[in-house]
């Protein structure tokens, strides 16, 4: 796993922005696909994957409960 991946959940990050989630999703899709930028014929699939991963990430972070922390704010 890449060592530069930023942890997005508390207690490491007090607030996760939509931009943080989008950047993490893009990083994940780039890592999995092996492409930093997709070819034109793959751009639609690449972007759809980024959006799906971002949505799943937002759902996960909204639903996680970390002991000893305050409830997550709505993103």
């Amino acid at each position: 796993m890449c060592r530069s991946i930023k942890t997005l959940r508390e207690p490491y990050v007090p607030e996760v922005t939509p931009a943080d989630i989008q950047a993490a999703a893009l990083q994940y899709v780039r890592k999995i696909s092996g492409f930093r930028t997709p070819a034109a014929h793959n751009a639609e699939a690449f972007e759809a994957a980024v959006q799906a991963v971002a949505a799943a990430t937002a759902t996960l972070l909204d639903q996680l409960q970390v002991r000893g922390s305050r409830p997550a704010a709505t993103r």
Side-chain angles (χ1 to χ4, degrees):
M1 176 124 279
C2 181
R3 293 173 198 226
S4 65
I5 292 176
K6 179 180 172 186
T7 301
L8 294 181
R9 72 168 181 84
E10 286 192 47
Y12 303 105
V13 176
E15 182 180 339
V16 179
T17 67
D20 292 330
I21 292 172
Q22 191 71 17
L26 179 58
Q27 183 180 27
Y28 176 80
V29 172
R30 284 175 172 169
K31 181 81 170 176
I32 294 302
S33 70
F35 298 110
R36 177 160 169 48
T37 305
H41 64 277
N42 288 327
E44 189 175 327
F46 192 89
E47 184 56 31
V50 171
Q51 295 310 314
V53 170
T57 301
T59 299
L60 173 65
L61 292 175
D62 285 342
Q63 294 177 0
L64 282 178
Q65 295 179 9
V66 179
R67 274 194 265 173
S69 69
R70 58 183 160 61
T74 304
R75 288 174 205 8

